[in-house]
Amino acid sequence: MREHVAECLKGRSALVALSGGVDSVVLLHLLLVLRAQVVAAHVEHGMRGENSRRDCAFVEALCARLGVPLAVAHVDVPARARASGRGLEETARDLRYAFLREEKRRRGLDCILTAHHRNDQAETVLLHLVRGSSPRGLSGMREEEGDLLRPLLPFSRAEILRYAQAEGLPFVQDETNADTAFARNYVRHEVIPRLETLNPRAVEAIARLAALSRDQSDYIAQQADSVLRERMRGDALSDVRDLHPGLRGAVLHEYLVRLGLREAGQADVDRLEGLFSLGAGKRASLCGALLERDAQGVRPVPGEAPMESIPLHLGENETPFGCFSLRVGAVPPCLDLGRDAQVLDADAASAGLAVRARRAGDRVRLLGGGTKKLSDIFTDQKVPRALRGRVPVLTCGEEIVWVAGVAPSAACAIGPNSARALTIQYRKPKE
């Protein structure tokens, strides 16, 4: 286990997610044995009352005893979930990763480490399977994804517990892990034990399936990239009906991703495939983009949203661009809430927010200083020209404060003297 963690880390400095449970405590211990440059991070989710505060105190005491720097965030997951209309598990995960990435960036560290293991992998694959997944979804979690590392992924929960017992490591138990009202806990405590009556090594078998799915999905992705290089001309895609169905779906999904439609699902892929069977001039709306069949294939239809500004108010705002939810509250410990959210200084934005489409000559104030043309930002972010007119541009007075889903701005940004935060959640238009 120690050698594997060392190989994964390769001397990089790391921010380790430390819940106080046995998995993360073992991971921290291994990092210290390896003399890695490490900072710990703990998120208190505001979901378990005194027990949650107990876990936080345990982590603080552990890090103080070991001499490990620690970053702590206190978030109110139930309140955030109610405000966004999302589930508790999803909201907690998004807030946790946003905090981890912000701390990694702020401290200049190389990577983020989590203590996911083989049992977690099996649970993830089963959840993806029953919710409806592509073969790529069956690959589960990867040991390395960008700046995120999971060095314990090849090891079982039992192996990790044995290590903790052998080293005499203290840890805390999260009592909500036994609550089968949560989907993952139901899979952990009800589904997997039943599968293990059929095969005692079911977890290992599911993990092997994930590894095989990952390798095959990577190969298909390479082939899809090759096809797109041959058959894309600008934003247009020539007919793909001659391809094998296993490759055709991957090509169509990747095409939608390259158009900026990162949330495209199987239903969107099916509608796009159906468009190739229709006559020239037929259209389909997918994820907010309009695509048209012509003699050569399929291409996005250029279009602009209304040019006039639409005022935004606190609460829910339904607009042609989608829905914007505005809330004022305390400044959150983590400002990175993902691509579809932005946090502004509420007092600086008191002149009133509005949303509009891009305009010629638009410039965005950069967080690092200076300004940049919005057209150049679109180019840098690879936003297709056909979709740029539909990207929401939020303004306060004459200044752009956020290009939703694309770029933040220094205008009305949270600063050290900010007293209140205006949090904006964005949802794309429904089809």
Side-chain angles (χ1 to χ4, degrees):
M1 194 180 296
R2 182 186 307 175
E3 291 75 15
H4 186 80
V5 172
E7 175 61 25
C8 287
L9 197 57
K10 295 178 181 176
R12 288 174 284 189
S13 60
L15 181 77
V16 60
L18 184 63
S19 67
V22 62
D23 311 324
S24 61
V25 168
V26 164
L27 179 55
L28 177 62
H29 184 268
L30 287 165
L31 294 171
L32 295 179
V33 168
L34 294 168
R35 300 185 183 278
Q37 181 185 344
V38 62
V39 175
H42 178 82
V43 179
E44 193 273 295
H45 294 99
M47 295 171 62
R48 299 165 41 236
E50 187 57 39
N51 289 336
S52 183
R53 291 186 287 273
R54 174 210 65 191
D55 292 356
C56 185
F58 169 83
V59 167
E60 289 173 334
L62 178 65
C63 289
R65 180 168 58 82
L66 298 174
V68 175
L70 173 66
V72 175
H74 298 273
V75 296
D76 189 342
V77 168
R80 295 287 187 89
R82 287 193 299 271
S84 63
R86 304 165 77 193
L88 287 174
E89 290 177 283
E90 183 183 14
T91 302
R93 183 187 64 245
D94 289 350
L95 290 174
R96 183 166 60 251
Y97 278 106
F99 171 67
L100 292 173
R101 290 208 156 85
E102 175 65 18
E103 279 300 311
K104 169 189 163 286
R105 182 199 63 79
R106 191 174 69 83
R107 293 174 181 264
L109 300 170
D110 297 323
C111 58
I112 297 168
L113 270 61
T114 68
H116 292 100
H117 47 69
R118 188 192 299 161
N119 295 70
D120 294 321
Q121 179 76 300
E123 293 160 12
T124 297
V125 171
L126 289 173
L127 285 169
H128 287 179
L129 176 65
V130 298
R131 289 168 176 167
S133 175
S134 67
R136 179 174 292 275
L138 295 183
S139 66
M141 298 178 284
R142 293 173 181 256
E143 200 163 330
E144 182 166 353
E145 292 185 89
D147 62 351
L148 180 62
L149 305 181
R150 302 181 179 98
L152 299 185
L153 204 57
F155 305 99
S156 69
R157 180 179 289 118
E159 289 175 290
I160 292 169
L161 183 58
R162 284 198 297 269
Y163 181 97
Q165 292 169 341
E167 297 293 334
L169 302 180
F171 55 89
V172 292
Q173 298 274 10
D174 181 349
E175 73 286 349
T176 62
N177 285 338
D179 185 354
T180 55
F182 294 102
R184 181 172 290 274
N185 291 344
Y186 181 80
V187 170
R188 178 179 304 163
H189 297 296
E190 299 289 341
V191 177
I192 288 181
R194 291 176 181 269
L195 292 177
E196 288 176 331
T197 64
L198 299 175
N199 177 8
R201 303 178 70 176
V203 167
E204 184 178 338
I206 296 169
R208 282 200 305 273
L209 170 65
L212 180 62
S213 298
R214 180 188 65 239
D215 292 343
Q216 293 181 343
S217 295
D218 287 348
Y219 174 75
I220 292 174
Q222 291 174 3
Q223 299 306 305
D225 180 69
S226 177
V227 170
L228 287 171
R229 284 200 301 269
E230 295 174 358
R231 303 198 184 193
M232 275 187 74
R233 296 293 180 270
D235 291 337
L237 176 65
S238 60
D239 204 337
V240 296
R241 285 176 292 174
D242 61 307
L243 298 175
H244 187 282
L247 177 58
R248 184 166 63 233
V251 169
L252 293 173
H253 183 267
E254 180 60 23
Y255 173 65
L256 292 174
V257 170
R258 294 189 185 190
L259 292 181
L261 309 177
R262 295 179 178 83
E263 298 177 1
Q266 187 58 44
D268 300 299
V269 171
D270 292 342
R271 293 172 70 187
L272 174 58
E273 183 174 351
L275 193 56
F276 280 100
S277 302
L278 303 178
K282 296 297 184 180
R283 294 180 172 185
S285 182
L286 309 173
C287 296
L290 188 63
L291 277 73
E292 182 177 67
R293 178 77 160 101
D294 63 18
Q296 284 70 46
V298 167
R299 67 180 65 248
V301 178
E304 299 287 330
M307 292 296 293
E308 67 273 11
S309 292
I310 302 170
L312 300 177
H313 53 77
L314 292 178
E316 301 291 313
N317 298 261
E318 293 288 350
T319 78
F321 298 94
C323 180
F324 295 88
S325 177
L326 277 60
R327 300 284 186 274
V328 173
V331 177
C334 176
L335 302 180
D336 184 0
L337 303 182
R339 296 174 60 90
D340 294 331
Q342 182 69 354
V343 183
L344 304 177
D345 185 308
D347 297 309
S350 59
L353 294 182
V355 61
R356 60 170 173 80
R358 63 173 180 170
R359 292 175 181 170
D362 273 343
R363 300 187 73 91
V364 178
R365 269 210 282 152
L366 303 177
L367 293 172
T371 66
K372 191 169 187 175
K373 290 181 180 179
L374 179 54
S375 58
D376 291 339
I377 292 175
F378 282 145
T379 299
D380 293 343
Q381 296 293 321
K382 296 182 172 56
V383 179
R385 292 183 181 278
L387 304 183
R388 294 178 182 182
R390 299 187 180 94
V391 175
V393 177
L394 273 69
T395 61
C396 182
E398 296 301 315
E399 285 209 276
I400 294 174
V401 298
W402 185 32
V403 185
V406 176
S409 167
C412 299
I414 293 288
N417 298 320
S418 298
R420 301 185 304 153
L422 174 63
T423 301
I424 308 169
Q425 295 279 349
Y426 168 57
R427 295 197 306 276
K428 293 182 180 178
K430 295 181 179 179
E431 294 300 322

